[in-house]
Structure formats: structure tokens, C-alpha cells
Amino acid sequence: MALAISNSTELKAAVVHALENSPDDGSVLLASFHGAGGPFGDEVDPLVEIKDFGALPQEVSEECFATLKSQHAFKHPPEFEQAHRETLAHEAFIPAPKVVIHDPRWKAKVEGILQRLNVQDVFDLRPSGLLLSRHGTPATAIYCNPAPEVAGTVVVVLPHTYKGGQVTTRHGRRQEKFVVDSTSSAQYNYIGWLRDCFVGVTPIESGFRVALVYDIVRKVPSPPSNSPHDISNLQRILQYWASNPQSTPKQLVYYLEDPFEVIGGVEEIPPMALSQMSFIRKAGEPLGFQSKIACLTYTVRGTGPEKEASTNPGDLLQTEVEDIRDEQMRLEDLRGPDGLPSSFGGLTKLQMIPEELLEYSPRELFDGETEKPEEARPVTEESVLFSGATSW
């Protein structure tokens, strides 16, 4: 990659390109998808049976669910049960050794999902178990099996009557939504995601969702995270920045889509943001650069058509502002890659100016008008990945 950076605009464009095209500390670069899903066809019925219970009925009843949950479901460690108590109260997970699939054609049909995604040379599927979720299951955020050999998850939703449970997969700024309940036109549906993804599920409003769960496991070794070539390219960008302090911003702020997710009541930074922070750290620490997660607050003072306003921008930007008297931006709640509070040189709050945003204007960020090439998305969070030099 040849660098031709001669001004602040070109510097910002180069940093954005490097962050959005950096290799992840995971598996996604070997795959053609982050989150995928769709109809699965109904020509094969797996004919599911639970050992020591019998055939899974066509429609799960309250009594059936209670029996499976109390006598056959996987017992989670107490600390996990405590952290996910509300969700687990409405779910029963039957591990794979207890689940019998009687139709021999089912295995080949499930493996066909990887062929659809053109990743069959990279990944295999391994049965994980049967997941039953009842009405009342709350909205939840999940990641896949954390075992090191697991690269992702595939879920095949069986044709039981239920409503709700829409699935959203998100990787960085790419987001997909999948409707897999009884309103879907297909009897069977699948959703697959790699472990780098955040996965959110809306509440189940009625009925019981029944799904077979599979781990995506590797056939080939994981790619190296952040190759020397990519790190070298970012270092050259940062070297230009460090060498031109008079004509470049003191700090640069990159907007992140939902960098914090609440998992079991604990805020966690998804893998995509962690990977970007790791990338900056590897390339930038030798040059004196750091990266933090921060919350960006934007305060606007001005007059509207009828009255003077002094407010955060959410309400003010919904009206036509005739005279903006003052704009203030601040980075607050600085955190490191472990999600714990952090600081720059002892400072936990930093002032900034609009020119330090890598993309967008403050008003674009806060009124939801941001657009990317070939992609438009609403802005719902105010957190950022913040990178800059340590010499302030």
C-alpha cells in the first residue's frame, strides 16, 4: 500500500481505512460472512428424540418443557446461573449426547449451510445440543461458545409455533436481522454467526422456540491477527501524524457501533472493538500512541424559532436551529481494552473539537443522518474508539 498523505483530511481517511480493513483477532477473514441466515427447506425432518425422554413432540407443552428442563437440561455453573438467571429461567439446553437425530439425511443437509456460505473448506459443524426457549424469554445478547477451537455458531430453528425472537447479528458496522418465528414463510430457518459477532435476540412473545445448535469448528489453523504488513502500514500513517503536529489534530475519534454490550449485567467490549484497539496498540505504542474507549458528549447552545435552548443535542437537533451560540464536545468515561476505567496522563475527561472526528460532523452523529457508502444506519450510541498521542 503506497501512502500519499499530505494533509489532515488524507490522514483521517488513511486511519479510517486501516481500522475498517484491519485483520480481526479471530476468524472472519477466512469466511465470506459475519452473520447469515435464511430458509432451510422442509424436505427432511430430523425426527428428534431425547434419550430417557422419548420423541420430541410436534408442539412443546408447558409440562414437556418443565420435564426437560428439570430432568435433562444442562446444569450451568452457579455463577453463570446467577449472572443469566432471568434468561435461563425460560430456557432449557439439552446437550448433544442426549439428542438423537433419526433421519440420516439431516447431517448432510445441515452441512450444506457451510456450502451455501462457501466456507466448507475452512469450517466443519459439530453438534452442540437442543435449545428450547419459552414465551417470556427476555431480550438477550449472546456470544458463541468461547472454547478456543470454536469459530462460531449455527442455529437451525425447527417448525414449532412461536412468535418473537428476532435475531440481529452485528460485526463492526455491518448488521443483519433475521425473522425466524412462525411468521416466516419457511418451516425451517437457520442463523449462523462467527464468534467476532455480537448477537442480539428480541423477547419471545408466545409459544416455544425449538432449535438445534451447532458449533462451527476449524479445519485449518486460525489466521495470524494483525499481520506485520498491516501493522507496518498503520505505523507509517501514525509516523506522518506524529511528524506533523502543527498541521494535524492532537487526537482522532472514531465512532463505534455499540462498543459496550451488557452481558449478564456486566458491560463487555465486543471482539471487533477489542481487535481494533489491539491493532492500534501493536502499531502505535512504539510511537507513543494509545487507544481508549470513551463516551462522547455533545452540548449545543443556541436559539430556535421561538425560544432559546440550552441542551444536549437530542431535542435541539430535531428543531431548526437559527443561531448556534456554542458547541462543546467532551470525551468521558475513558476505558481500556479490559473495560475498566482508564485515563490519559491522569485525565479522565478530555475536551475535543469537531475536526478531531475521523468521520461525520457532530450533528450527523447525534441526529441519525450518518451514511456510509452502500450502507445507511441509524446512530443509537455515543461511544467511540479514541486514539491519540501520549504527549499532551
Side-chain angles (χ1 to χ4, degrees), residues 159-354:
H160 291 250
T161 303
Y162 78 99
K163 184 178 180 181
Q166 175 180 281
V167 178
T168 298
T169 63
R170 185 168 58 247
H171 183 270
R173 292 176 175 179
R174 175 179 172 179
Q175 178 170 295
E176 303 284 350
K177 292 185 178 181
F178 306 101
V179 177
V180 294
D181 64 7
S182 303
T183 64
S184 168
S185 59
Q187 281 194 293
Y188 293 83
N189 290 275
Y190 79 93
I191 314 103
W193 63 87
L194 295 179
R195 67 182 306 158
D196 309 76
C197 278
F198 161 78
V199 182
V201 185
T202 62
I204 294 179
E205 301 169 15
S206 63
F208 291 84
R209 180 185 61 208
V210 181
L212 288 165
V213 182
Y214 297 84
D215 292 331
I216 302 175
V217 294
R218 289 188 163 280
K219 287 183 177 180
V220 297
S222 175
S225 60
N226 309 136
S227 71
H229 173 74
D230 291 291
I231 291 174
S232 176
N233 280 338
L234 181 56
Q235 283 181 329
R236 282 183 282 170
I237 296 170
L238 297 180
Q239 283 171 342
Y240 171 84
W241 184 5
S243 300
N244 294 271
Q246 302 303 318
S247 59
T248 57
K250 180 189 293 186
Q251 59 198 18
L252 291 175
V253 176
Y254 174 75
Y255 171 78
L256 290 176
E257 186 87 28
D258 302 333
F260 286 105
E261 305 296 349
V262 179
I263 310 296
V266 178
E267 286 186 327
E268 295 188 5
I269 303 175
M272 183 67 174
L274 287 174
S275 177
Q276 290 173 318
M277 293 183 77
S278 172
F279 186 36
I280 295 172
R281 186 175 67 252
K282 291 174 183 177
E285 279 189 351
L287 301 172
F289 287 86
Q290 295 184 37
S291 64
K292 308 286 184 185
I293 296 287
C295 180
L296 170 61
T297 61
Y298 174 41
T299 303
V300 178
R301 293 180 175 85
T303 54
E306 299 278 339
K307 59 184 179 179
E308 182 172 332
S310 175
T311 179
N312 282 330
D315 296 329
L316 184 58
L317 294 182
Q318 302 304 314
T319 65
E320 189 67 28
V321 181
E322 296 177 350
D323 177 26
I324 294 181
R325 298 181 181 178
D326 182 42
E327 296 178 276
Q328 293 185 358
M329 305 183 71
R330 179 182 292 181
L331 295 165
E332 301 177 333
D333 192 20
L334 303 183
R335 304 198 189 191
D338 55 5
L340 297 176
S342 187
S343 66
F344 272 120
L347 298 176
T348 58
K349 296 181 180 180
L350 300 171
Q351 297 294 330
M352 64 169 291
I353 57 176

